[in-house]
Amino acid sequence: MKPRTLLIPSAACLAATFSTTSLSSAQDAIKTLEPMTVVGSADAIYELPGSAAYVEAADFRERGYTNLAQITAKIPGVYVRDEDGFGNFPNISLRGVDGTRSTKVTVMEDGILTAPAPYSAPNAYYAPKAGRMSGIEFLKGSSQVKYGPQTTGGVVNYLSTTIPEGDGTTFYNRTTYGSYNTLFQHTWYGDTQETAAGRFGYLLEFHGESSDGFRDIDGTTKDSGFSIIEPMLKLFWEPETALKQRIELKAGYTSFDANETYTGLSDSDLRDDPDRRYAASKYDEFESEQWRSYLKWIAEPSDALRIESAVYYNSFERTWDKLGAVVLPGSSITTVAEAMLAPNGIALLKGFSPGSISTADAYRDHEAYGWQNQVNYRFQTGSLEHDLAVGLRLHYDQQNGDTTSHTYASTGNGSFDFVGDSTPVPIVAQEVFATALFIEDQIAIGKLTLRPGIRYEWLELEATTSGVGSDSLDESLIMGGLGANYEFNTCNSLFGGVYRGSSPANPFGYLIGTENEESLGAELGFRHRQEAFRAELVGFYTNFDQLIAPEIPGGAGSTPSENGGSADVWGIESLVEYDAGKAQNWTLGLPVYASATFTNAEFSGMDSVLSTAAATFAGGRNGNEIPYIPEWKFATSIGLTGEKWAVRFDASYTSTSWGTGFNGDARPAGTNASAMDGKIDSLLIFDLTGHYQLTDQIKLVGGIQNLFDERAIVSRAPLGARSNAPQMMFAGFEATF
């Protein structure tokens, strides 16, 4: 067969004219009655007046990825700091915003806020597991008016499994088993049926993951692993009525247990054995339960009008019993952070020095519920075509709990004896009632699409201290911007925009004087797409003001926050995807991609050095780099695909960064030292994965992640150095009936 050259634009591309039928993914939803999404699809990205990414489950499932850090390696401008090597506690940063516990990112599932308490305690000790998703959406640029409250960083929207439609009753199962007794299970069963009362769809799902973990705890046979159990039920009904409408219900549950710790290692101990954990961390354990639910109503009174309304309720309870304090005879050292920097402190953590340790058993209870609405109305004014979106959300969330200390005495031979418990100490209880409004108009003018919008949030905040009483105040946030997209033809478009963002402090922070974090960002980008070739190049700049410094580890809302000056972040993002096999009409596919991000992220406008209470920002000063934002990030892949098989070879690289705003190696104890000080290593990792389609219904899957077993320090937070995951293998099958 005669090959064709792809890089010369096709006649269809050159002759293309602007089509008003592809204004937005929201308009696609008008035709299908499906709930609206943030991006919608990979193709819908090309219509957005801002930078975005859409990752389909097939892409990361093919590689056996369940860790968000692995999934986002390909996405320019997205950084995920890992803690446990399995992605159970992702710390997400978009374009240089602070990534600690994903606090400065609006995290949603199916368009519903999913952080434990998005306003009063957004620290994401719960994060949706990517392994059970049908896709993940990211918004990084000037198109975030609809989504808050965290708008300085962007949006991450997880998309749960959709109800199958049109293919009859469907059963799906994926089971894999691998290194360290790591088991993955994802099963669902669903169908859509036509009845006299209308269309009815259902989905029953179970997702589970477990592992013994790859870290070995000194002096014990206890593993460092985890287990997750996640059932879900989803239903929809489109009644046979004159009004075109859809009612959708979702209820899901997560039970998560992990023998996870805050405590890392000294640099020298990690270099000797990156899979070690100190004996003093053997009591550390995390347990949580999360319930999530929504009831959505979608209606289309006319072709021009669409209404979506949802009520939702989420709850999250967790306990994390973790090493927090030490007593060293004859020493002023009292915390693990201080002990990590002193030889006698390290000896105590190993159980070979006199003294005692205490764990802080932190119980936290979170609740979030609300009612959110969006109305889309399409109309024309002269030659202008409008898609006007108006939204309202009423939201309440709260956090309360207490902390109990458990004390153990060192035996001096590598073990500890139980001493006793303290009386539980209540934390500062926090609650917020938020009213959020937005209006955004997408205006089509020939080949040009403009999207101006504004968002307003009114917060009623209250913090209650045990034995002292409560205090309250009100706060308002105004955000907004203008995005634009110009389609030269169906293959090429230019986009850009300017956006003002804001992120609130928690109630306790406001009461002690912390101000809103604010940002002003701009971007300009170019997109190209053809059947087998896609490319994107984006330049961006963001100025952050009144930065809210990350919470000190273990503070959990009880430690006063502080504003950390300003920061300037600018960079260039690029992504190229090409399939030579598809372009040349070969029988084999040869898909490749390459992505690169350059980011310059520095503190600025600071009157003084940030205090040790500023956690990862501690020691920050003008000109220092923002922690955990490497200057360079690369990813590339090459694959070979046949009719029944595929093999993929992936590589990802990040350059060095710093663990704190100090931008230096660990300072001596007593000099504002932090166990989080020090360099984060550069890291180059390769993965090899593939599949074989055994029958029409059965696919065999397998692979090796971190093929060459490269190890490095990837985090120094919460308390001390920790490494990435070692080489891990997996094998299993997928079945679809």
Side-chain angles (χ1 to χ4, degrees):
M1 186 174 291
K2 184 179 179 180
R4 61 182 175 86
T5 302
L6 176 76
L7 296 181
I8 299 175
S10 65
C13 183
L14 290 171
T17 58
F18 178 75
S19 172
T20 57
T21 62
S22 59
L23 278 175
S24 69
S25 58
Q27 292 176 4
D28 294 337
I30 287 176
K31 301 172 186 177
T32 63
L33 266 183
E34 295 177 357
M36 284 188 289
T37 52
V38 172
V39 176
S41 67
D43 286 333
I45 289 173
Y46 292 86
E47 302 153 10
L48 291 176
S51 186
Y54 182 94
V55 185
E56 296 183 20
D59 187 43
F60 56 80
R61 194 173 290 151
E62 179 68 24
R63 293 165 169 81
Y65 293 165
T66 61
N67 187 333
L68 194 66
Q70 296 172 307
I71 294 169
T72 58
K74 175 183 177 180
I75 305 175
V78 179
Y79 296 100
V80 178
R81 174 173 63 82
D82 201 6
E83 287 187 25
D84 66 338
F86 293 95
N88 292 318
F89 302 96
N91 297 267
I92 307 169
S93 171
L94 303 182
R95 288 184 172 171
V97 73
D98 168 43
T100 305
R101 297 285 181 234
S102 307
T103 307
K104 293 297 181 291
V105 175
T106 294
V107 182
M108 303 187 294
E109 180 173 329
D110 296 326
I112 303 294
L113 295 175
T114 196
Y119 288 84
S120 56
N123 295 15
Y125 288 89
Y126 165 78
K129 286 298 292 182
R132 63 177 174 86
M133 298 299 163
S134 65
I136 308 174
E137 304 175 306
F138 300 84
L139 271 183
K140 301 173 288 181
S142 53
S143 49
Q144 303 167 29
V145 170
K146 298 178 182 178
Y147 315 104
Q150 310 294 339
T151 61
T152 58
V155 181
V156 179
N157 185 36
Y158 295 83
L159 302 172
S160 65
T161 305
T162 57
I163 298 173
E165 299 186 47
D167 297 323
T169 303
T170 305
F171 171 83
Y172 170 84
N173 178 80
R174 179 183 173 98
T175 301
T176 63
Y177 178 78
S179 304
Y180 307 101
N181 287 324
T182 301
L183 177 67
F184 174 88
Q185 181 74 46
H186 186 205
T187 304
W188 55 261
Y189 175 82
D191 189 15
T192 296
Q193 298 180 349
E194 299 284 349
T195 72
R199 297 178 73 234
F200 173 76
Y202 65 90
L203 178 80
L204 295 170
E205 180 182 65
F206 174 82
H207 167 253
E209 295 183 42
S210 64
S211 178
D212 289 345
F214 57 86
R215 294 191 173 108
D216 300 315
I217 306 172
D218 292 351
T220 181
T221 58
K222 179 180 178 180
D223 65 52
S224 59
F226 68 94
S227 66
I228 296 174
I229 296 174
E230 295 189 302
M232 185 186 76
L233 169 67
K234 188 182 286 189
L235 305 169
F236 82 77
W237 178 40
E238 295 179 359
E240 194 67 36
T241 59
L243 175 64
K244 189 177 180 182
Q245 59 182 315
R246 176 182 178 126
I247 299 168
E248 183 170 295
L249 170 72
K250 185 182 83 170
Y253 169 76
T254 297
S255 175
F256 175 47
D257 298 315
N259 296 327
E260 190 52 52
T261 182
Y262 264 33
T263 305
L265 299 172
S266 68
D267 283 22
S268 60
D269 285 335
L270 186 142
R271 303 296 184 196
D272 289 340
D273 183 0
D275 296 334
R276 180 183 185 180
R277 266 179 52 180
Y278 294 139
S281 72
K282 68 180 179 179
Y283 303 105
D284 293 9
E285 185 172 1
F286 182 94
E287 295 180 320
S288 69
E289 286 190 342
Q290 195 257 8
W291 292 89
R292 55 194 170 274
S293 60
Y294 68 66
L295 179 64
K296 291 183 178 179
W297 177 67
I298 306 161
E300 297 172 8
S302 70
D303 291 341
L305 181 63
R306 185 184 196 277
I307 303 168
E308 180 169 328
S309 182
V311 292
Y312 57 91
Y313 176 82
N314 299 332
S315 67
F316 178 70
E317 287 186 273
R318 58 95 168 173
T319 62
W320 196 338
D321 193 6
K322 54 191 177 294
L323 186 62
V326 300
V327 174
L328 275 166
S331 171
S332 61
I333 293 175
T334 60
T335 68
V336 173
E338 295 171 323
M340 291 288 294
L341 302 174
N344 56 341
I346 294 290
L348 175 60
L349 298 179
K350 295 176 180 178
F352 293 115
S353 174
S356 64
I357 61 171
S358 295
T359 64
D361 192 352
Y363 167 74
R364 301 292 181 264
D365 175 57
H366 306 78
E367 187 177 40
Y369 54 84
W371 177 42
Q372 67 181 41
N373 306 270
Q374 179 173 323
V375 177
N376 280 76
Y377 180 60
R378 299 173 65 186
F379 62 97
Q380 285 189 262
T381 56
S383 61
L384 306 183
E385 299 199 6
H386 300 261
D387 182 359
L388 182 66
V390 179
L392 165 69
R393 183 178 65 211
L394 305 177
H395 174 95
Y396 170 84
D397 65 49
Q398 63 86 24
Q399 175 195 248
N400 59 54
D402 56 50
T403 301
T404 304
S405 295
H406 310 296
T407 302
Y408 306 84
S410 171
T411 63
N413 60 5
S415 62
F416 297 85
D417 292 331
F418 177 70
V419 175
D421 297 333
S422 71
T423 301
V425 178
I427 66 164
V428 177
Q430 305 183 83
E431 58 183 318
V432 176
F433 181 81
T435 301
L437 298 159
F438 74 81
I439 182 169
E440 183 178 74
D441 190 11
Q442 186 166 278
I443 308 167
I445 314 168
K447 296 183 178 183
L448 175 66
T449 301
L450 299 175
R451 189 184 286 183
I454 189 168
R455 182 181 186 87
Y456 174 77
E457 300 215 13
W458 175 257
L459 312 182
E460 299 172 66
L461 310 105
E462 185 171 336
T464 303
T465 305
S466 177
V468 177
S470 62
D471 201 355
S472 61
L473 54 79
D474 298 335
E475 186 65 35
S476 60
L477 297 83
I478 299 177
M479 300 143 277
L482 172 66
N485 187 66
Y486 185 83
E487 292 190 35
F488 296 101
N489 47 51
T490 56
C491 293
N492 302 293
S493 64
L494 185 70
F495 68 93
V498 178
Y499 185 80
R500 181 182 188 274
S502 185
S503 290
N506 58 29
F508 188 52
Y510 277 122
L511 290 171
I512 57 93
T514 305
E515 299 182 78
N516 301 322
E517 179 173 306
E518 297 178 347
S519 67
L520 182 63
E523 66 176 346
L524 181 64
F526 175 79
R527 298 186 182 106
H528 175 83
R529 62 170 171 173
Q530 288 181 263
E531 183 182 6
F533 178 74
R534 298 189 178 198
E536 180 173 298
L537 180 66
V538 187
F540 68 91
Y541 169 80
T542 307
N543 171 258
F544 296 96
D545 194 22
Q546 299 171 180
L547 284 170
I548 298 176
E551 184 180 281
I552 190 170
S558 298
T559 303
S561 56
E562 64 176 299
N563 289 114
S566 304
D568 291 299
V569 181
W570 63 272
I572 299 174
E573 303 167 352
S574 63
L575 174 64
V576 176
E577 298 176 281
Y578 178 60
D579 190 330
K582 182 184 290 186
Q584 306 297 335
N585 292 320
W586 296 341
T587 56
L588 296 178
L590 188 64
V592 299
Y593 77 75
S595 73
T597 305
F598 171 81
T599 305
N600 185 86
E602 296 182 350
F603 291 106
S604 62
M606 303 174 67
D607 297 328
S608 60
V609 177
L610 290 177
S611 72
T612 55
T616 56
F617 280 11
R621 69 194 75 196
N622 289 338
N624 282 15
E625 298 175 13
I626 297 176
Y628 294 103
I629 308 299
E631 190 174 49
W632 286 102
K633 172 188 172 183
F634 297 103
T636 188
S637 173
I638 183 169
L640 190 62
T641 63
E643 183 180 356
K644 292 187 175 183
W645 56 272
V647 177
R648 289 178 174 81
F649 187 64
D650 294 88
S652 62
Y653 170 82
T654 53
S655 61
T656 60
S657 59
W658 294 104
T660 64
F662 173 64
N663 284 193
D665 295 330
R667 292 161 282 183
T671 59
N672 292 325
S674 170
M676 295 182 286
D677 283 343
K679 183 165 285 188
I680 306 302
D681 297 331
S682 61
L683 182 61
L684 175 62
I685 289 180
F686 297 91
D687 299 329
L688 180 64
T689 54
H691 78 259
Y692 179 77
Q693 194 74 43
L694 189 63
T695 69
D696 289 343
Q697 291 79 34
I698 305 295
K699 178 196 290 186
L700 303 180
V701 299
I704 307 173
Q705 298 173 2
N706 194 358
L707 182 63
F708 301 113
D709 199 25
E710 292 295 322
R711 311 302 298 278
I713 295 174
V714 296
S715 178
R716 296 179 179 274
L719 297 169
R722 57 190 71 205
S723 70
N724 62 301
Q727 180 192 87
M728 292 199 286
M729 305 179 188
F730 73 94
F733 70 93
E734 283 186 11
T736 306
F737 297 95

